[in-house]
Amino acid sequence: MPSAAQYYREPRITLLARPTFTEPDHLPVSWLGESTDGERLAEFAGRLCYMSQRNPAGRNTRDYLENIKKQGHGSVLEHANYSLLVEGVSRSLTHELVRHRAGFAYSQLSQRYVDESDAAFVVPPAVIGDESLEGAWRSQVDSALASYVGLVEQLMTLYGWVADRVHRRKMAREAARGVLPNSTETKIVITGNARAWRTMLELRSSEGAELEIRRMAVAVIRLLVAEAPAFFSDFEIYDAEDRREAARIGYHKV
Ligand SMILES: Cc1cc2nc3c(=O)[nH]c(=O)nc-3n(C[C@H](O)[C@H](O)[C@H](O)COP(=O)(O)OP(=O)(O)OC[C@H]3O[C@@H](n4cnc5c(N)ncnc54)[C@H](O)[C@@H]3O)c2cc1C
């Protein structure tokens, strides 16, 4: 029997990687103001286009990048990549997430290689706080998990003729996972450039987005605004009419 399942009520997001910028000695920039490596990398790339390293307009990095966003010259934002580890999200969330292709790379937990007998589940935001709904939902996912465990066992017997045990387990799990619900928790590493993150976050933090991915998008916006304000600070997080957080962007699709 599986041990008691774990239930997630919010995503866990960890920054794994950010850009490192090394200024070339032969092309120094007259930097002004506070900035991070990622922001400097984008400014450096932008200034190279016009060879304006002397900074004739006397702009600090954040004003320079504000102007880049305003002008829609978003391609320089593509030099700065940020990698996040996202856990405590459902398979239905990642199914939507991976539709965002341009500028993103993904690596996700495999349900063929990883045993899901101890899978965790993500409580749908709409159900959180309603005891009766949450209880009904929990009994459904618990029963799905029990079915999964039973099926893996039966399939291991069915595939007894497969000599390679690792392969046999993979064959059993890939068939048995069919009974696992969309709420099954998954883990994913996402690398995206700042322009790609902006486009995805604009779509997924809006009021029209599904609640779980919207909650994740708002959390990612908070993390990235703190990490690199020049790229992300035109996002405004607000309480929407549906009493959940949403965000709107200042500069659409740079
Ligand atoms: C609220 C909401 C509801 C949705 N509902 C559904 C649904 O019911 N069914 C469904 O299937 N999907 C649905 N989607 C997913 C949606 O159709 C897109 O697949 C998803 O939003 C990714 O958008 P994108 O293609 O712009 O992103 P990306 O792939 O990240 O692309 C970013 C941008 O790059 C450019 N680009 C990328 N690839 C190409 C290309 N091949 N050719 C030309 N330009 C390109 C485009 O300008 C694009 O906007 C929904 C999305 C949202 C936000």
Side-chain angles (χ1 to χ4, degrees):
M1 277 299 287
S3 50
Q6 189 190 342
Y7 304 103
Y8 280 90
R9 286 180 174 73
E10 56 184 50
R12 178 174 186 182
I13 301 169
T14 311
L15 179 74
L16 294 179
R18 55 167 71 94
T20 301
F21 173 64
T22 311
E23 187 173 21
D25 293 339
H26 62 290
L27 279 179
V29 170
S30 302
W31 308 107
L32 287 173
E34 247 186 87
S35 56
T36 59
D37 273 18
E39 292 161 330
R40 282 200 173 191
L41 174 58
E43 178 175 354
F44 183 88
R47 290 198 177 280
L48 184 89
C49 300
Y50 303 114
M51 291 302 278
S52 65
Q53 292 85 2
R54 283 193 306 112
N55 194 354
R59 281 206 173 105
N60 67 43
T61 299
R62 290 185 178 154
D63 285 345
Y64 178 86
L65 292 172
E66 182 77 13
N67 192 48
I68 289 274
K69 290 185 293 188
K70 195 192 280 173
Q71 303 294 330
H73 292 167
S75 60
V76 300
L77 271 52
E78 292 176 23
H79 296 288
N81 280 266
Y82 295 87
S83 300
L84 304 186
L85 165 64
V86 177
E87 301 167 277
V89 292
S90 68
R91 295 276 295 193
S92 59
L93 182 151
T94 56
H95 185 81
E96 295 190 351
L97 177 68
V98 300
R99 294 295 300 278
H100 298 275
R101 305 152 291 168
F104 278 109
Y106 302 101
S107 300
Q108 181 171 10
L109 179 153
S110 165
Q111 285 187 328
R112 298 176 71 211
Y113 284 90
V114 177
D115 177 24
E116 290 281 43
S117 303
D118 292 321
F121 297 95
V122 179
V123 186
V127 161
I128 294 176
D130 184 312
E131 245 174 66
S132 142
L133 273 179
E134 196 170 327
W137 171 86
R138 200 179 302 154
S139 86
Q140 292 291 328
V141 298
D142 287 350
S143 122
L145 185 58
S147 302
Y148 169 84
V149 172
L151 261 178
V152 170
E153 225 173 270
Q154 291 170 53
L155 285 157
M156 285 296 280
T157 308
L158 183 73
Y159 285 128
W161 52 271
V162 178
D164 181 343
R165 195 171 158 75
V166 173
H167 189 49
R168 197 186 327 148
R169 276 204 297 246
K170 191 173 70 174
M171 290 168 84
R173 287 169 188 162
E174 74 186 19
R177 70 171 168 171
V179 297
L180 289 173
N182 270 343
S183 296
T184 307
E185 190 253 349
T186 186
K187 301 176 194 300
I188 189 165
V189 173
I190 316 164
T191 296
N193 67 57
R195 189 189 206 182
W197 277 114
R198 285 177 56 88
T199 303
M200 183 277 276
L201 292 170
E202 177 183 354
L203 288 167
R204 299 303 181 174
S205 65
S206 74
E207 291 181 47
E210 187 269 343
L211 286 182
E212 190 197 347
I213 198 166
R214 176 171 145 194
R215 180 179 64 185
M216 184 208 74
V218 168
V220 171
I221 288 170
R222 286 206 166 91
L223 186 153
L224 289 178
V225 168
E227 176 63 30
F231 295 145
F232 302 103
S233 63
D234 57 317
F235 276 98
E236 182 205 344
I237 296 171
Y238 64 96
D239 290 319
E241 264 183 43
D242 61 10
R243 301 191 207 152
R244 314 234 171 210
E245 285 186 323
R248 52 173 87 91
I249 199 166
Y251 301 110
H252 165 66
K253 213 171 184 190
V254 301

